[in-house]
Amino acid sequence: MSYVIDKLKKLKELESDLLEASSLEKNNALKEVAIAIENNRDDIKRANQKDINIGKENNMNEALLDRLMLDDERIDGIIEGINTVIDLQDPIWKSEKVWTLENELTVSRMSVPLGVIGIIYESRPNVTVDAFSLAFKSGNGIVLRGSSSAINSNIALVHAIKEGLRKTDISEEVIQFFEDTDRKHVMSLLTAKGYVDLVIPRGGKGLIDLVLENAKVPTLQTGEGNCHVYVDESGNLDEAIKIVENAKLQRVGVCNACETLLVHENIAEDLLPRIYEMLNNKAEMVGSERVREIIEIERATEEDYGTEFLDYKIAIEIVKDVDEAIKHINKYGTKHSESIVTESYTNVQKFTKMVDASTVYVNASTRFTDGGVFGFGAEMGISTQKTHARGPVGLEQLVTHKYVVLGSGQIRK
């Protein structure tokens, strides 16, 4: 417990420093971090290759290896993300609403940092920098607990971040990292009342369930994505095939990949053979008996429709209409990202209004649900809950508010 508490105490001690840091100071520090990551590029890639090699020795599947990999393009993306965060407006100490009461008290609703944020995440080492950048710009201290599979990559990235901070007047201790991957430290973080203001789990169902079942501190649920594409009767079939191909195959190990395809019964005989041709030898397909009457694939189980595969596998079902598609999605989905392919304005309105998800697409791939793509620079994850934040978690979701009331001697009678 002391291992975790010592790190959290350091962050608590620096809360006022972060709150007082100007936008210019924070942006200059982020610039130094971006420079340090560039200067440490080769060391970061070497460390990442160690993790990749260990992953291969442990028979890690292709999708997880892809999540783990840091090549030049992804390091470029990390640096670009930092620069985008720099360009974003500082979310701290902004007044989004000011009003005057009848007694001439002036009330302002001001944005302030949450305080100390903990993030527990799996595999993807880019999260190390994304999480730091967003927390830092929003005035929050952060403690990171990555997975053991990415430990070498994460250590190298944290080293670069601290190297950059050492060239500024802001303490490098504003970022804390669990070098020790013992799982007992996760439990210590989840129960550190009074030391941590928010814990964010970013990963699969097992991690999210662990956090929700054991946390005694506030949490923000992110991660699991059992996403669907529904092709409506009026949908453009050529467009639908391209969307499904992108949503399923572009990167299978991410939370916004499509896991289930729903097809309107009136176009099933035309569309499904073309889907089969496109996916055959690229992804395993499973489907209901109605689907298997049209294309020769394995039988889907009830569990398949409720599973985030994160792999080259997709479940397929035929539905009667948009209402049945919505019902299926709301039953099996994880409130992440859902898409409809249609030319019907009525069905667009119904689908976007009635589907329970953080992000709903019309005639587009689910793969766009991403903080960077949405212009946030980076993200802490995709929130699938309904309170505080929903969808990509960026700067604006990492603040809370306080009310500042200005008076001139008023007393309440």
Side-chain angles (χ1 to χ4, degrees):
M1 186 72 172
S2 61
Y3 176 83
V4 174
I5 297 301
D6 287 347
K7 293 180 180 295
L8 295 175
K9 281 181 176 179
K10 290 178 182 177
L11 293 175
K12 277 295 179 184
E13 290 168 359
L14 292 168
E15 275 188 314
S16 60
D17 291 351
L18 281 170
L19 184 58
E20 292 177 354
S22 68
S23 297
L24 180 61
E25 289 172 322
K26 289 188 288 187
N27 286 339
N28 285 340
L30 287 171
K31 287 177 184 177
E32 292 294 345
V33 168
I35 291 169
I37 289 173
E38 176 61 50
N39 291 341
N40 285 272
R41 179 187 290 263
D42 290 341
D43 288 341
I44 292 168
K45 289 195 296 183
R46 278 192 290 270
N48 181 249
Q49 190 59 52
K50 288 182 182 178
D51 291 329
I52 293 290
N53 292 341
I54 294 170
K56 289 179 178 179
E57 290 172 6
N58 293 332
N59 297 316
M60 182 181 286
N61 69 37
E62 184 178 341
L64 291 179
L65 286 171
D66 176 68
R67 289 164 68 97
L68 181 59
M69 183 185 67
L70 285 179
D71 57 11
D72 281 316
E73 183 179 356
R74 291 188 182 175
I75 293 174
D76 288 343
I78 288 172
I79 294 170
E80 181 182 352
I82 296 173
N83 290 327
T84 300
V85 171
I86 290 170
D87 291 338
L88 293 175
Q89 185 179 34
D90 192 325
I92 297 305
W93 209 240
K94 304 297 180 184
S95 178
E96 61 182 37
K97 187 175 182 182
V98 181
W99 66 101
T100 301
L101 306 179
E102 289 183 4
N103 61 4
E104 297 187 351
L105 286 174
T106 299
V107 184
S108 302
R109 188 171 187 251
M110 309 298 294
S111 57
V112 295
L114 290 167
V116 174
I117 298 173
I119 181 166
I120 307 166
Y121 53 107
E122 297 175 336
S123 296
R124 297 174 67 177
N126 63 290
V127 175
T128 299
V129 184
D130 290 352
F132 163 75
S133 301
L134 291 170
F136 183 76
K137 181 70 178 267
S138 55
N140 296 289
I142 190 160
V143 58
L144 304 116
R145 198 283 187 181
S147 66
S148 57
S149 63
I151 187 63
N152 294 295
S153 307
N154 288 334
I155 287 174
L157 288 167
V158 171
H159 170 81
I161 292 169
K162 287 181 175 288
E163 180 180 300
L165 289 174
R166 282 195 293 271
K167 296 182 179 180
T168 74
D169 292 330
I170 298 175
S171 172
E172 66 182 86
E173 299 298 332
V174 296
I175 176 174
Q176 297 292 321
F177 176 70
F178 288 7
E179 298 88 353
D180 185 342
T181 58
D182 193 317
R183 291 193 175 188
K184 69 181 181 183
H185 299 317
V186 172
M187 300 305 295
S188 297
L189 179 63
L190 295 178
T191 56
K193 295 173 68 174
Y195 293 98
V196 62
D197 298 285
L198 181 70
V199 170
I200 302 174
R202 179 169 173 172
K205 178 177 172 57
L207 172 61
I208 293 169
D209 287 346
L210 172 74
V211 171
L212 296 180
E213 291 168 7
N214 293 281
K216 298 186 183 301
V217 298
T219 63
L220 182 62
Q221 181 177 337
T222 75
E224 189 182 5
N226 184 18
C227 306
H228 301 71
V229 173
Y230 164 58
V231 184
D232 192 32
E233 181 179 18
S234 65
N236 181 305
L237 299 195
D238 291 335
E239 190 175 88
I241 291 168
K242 291 178 181 178
I243 288 171
V244 173
E245 180 178 26
N246 180 262
K248 178 67 260 182
L249 297 179
Q250 200 250 348
R251 282 191 72 188
V252 298
V254 290
C255 59
N256 55 22
C258 172
E259 306 291 24
T260 297
L261 170 65
L262 303 176
V263 178
H264 192 289
E265 62 183 9
N266 290 348
I267 60 168
E269 291 189 1
D270 291 328
L271 180 62
L272 287 180
R274 296 179 64 182
I275 291 291
Y276 179 86
E277 182 180 0
M278 181 268 290
L279 290 176
N280 191 31
N281 296 321
K282 297 177 182 176
E284 177 187 357
M285 292 168 273
V286 295
S288 65
E289 286 303 321
R290 291 189 68 189
V291 173
R292 296 174 74 239
E293 290 173 2
I294 300 173
I295 55 177
E296 189 174 340
I297 60 176
E298 293 298 315
R299 180 182 290 106
T301 65
E302 179 83 4
E303 183 180 3
D304 284 326
Y305 290 116
T307 298
E308 180 189 27
F309 299 120
L310 297 174
D311 206 345
Y312 290 92
K313 182 176 181 179
I314 188 170
I316 305 173
E317 179 61 291
I318 294 171
V319 294
K320 182 175 65 174
D321 52 24
V322 67
D323 293 306
E324 190 169 306
I326 292 168
K327 184 178 180 180
H328 181 105
I329 290 169
N330 288 343
K331 177 180 179 180
Y332 294 105
T334 53
K335 310 183 192 304
H336 196 294
S337 300
E338 310 294 353
S339 179
I340 181 173
V341 181
T342 186
E343 298 299 319
S344 167
Y345 177 77
T346 299
N347 287 351
V348 166
Q349 293 296 99
K350 181 175 287 187
F351 190 89
T352 54
K353 183 180 292 185
M354 301 306 295
V355 163
D356 186 8
S358 77
T359 311
V360 182
Y361 292 89
V362 178
N363 297 324
S365 169
T366 56
R367 284 285 290 114
F368 292 103
T369 308
D370 178 272
V373 173
F374 279 19
F376 301 165
E379 67 182 37
M380 285 288 194
I382 310 296
S383 172
T384 54
Q385 66 184 46
K386 296 183 180 181
T387 57
H388 174 62
R390 201 175 195 200
V393 178
L395 289 177
E396 294 181 5
Q397 290 74 39
L398 297 178
V399 301
T400 185
H401 298 91
K402 69 166 60 172
Y403 292 93
V404 177
V405 184
L406 302 180
S408 55
Q410 291 91 334
I411 60 173
R412 184 169 182 175
K413 298 179 182 178

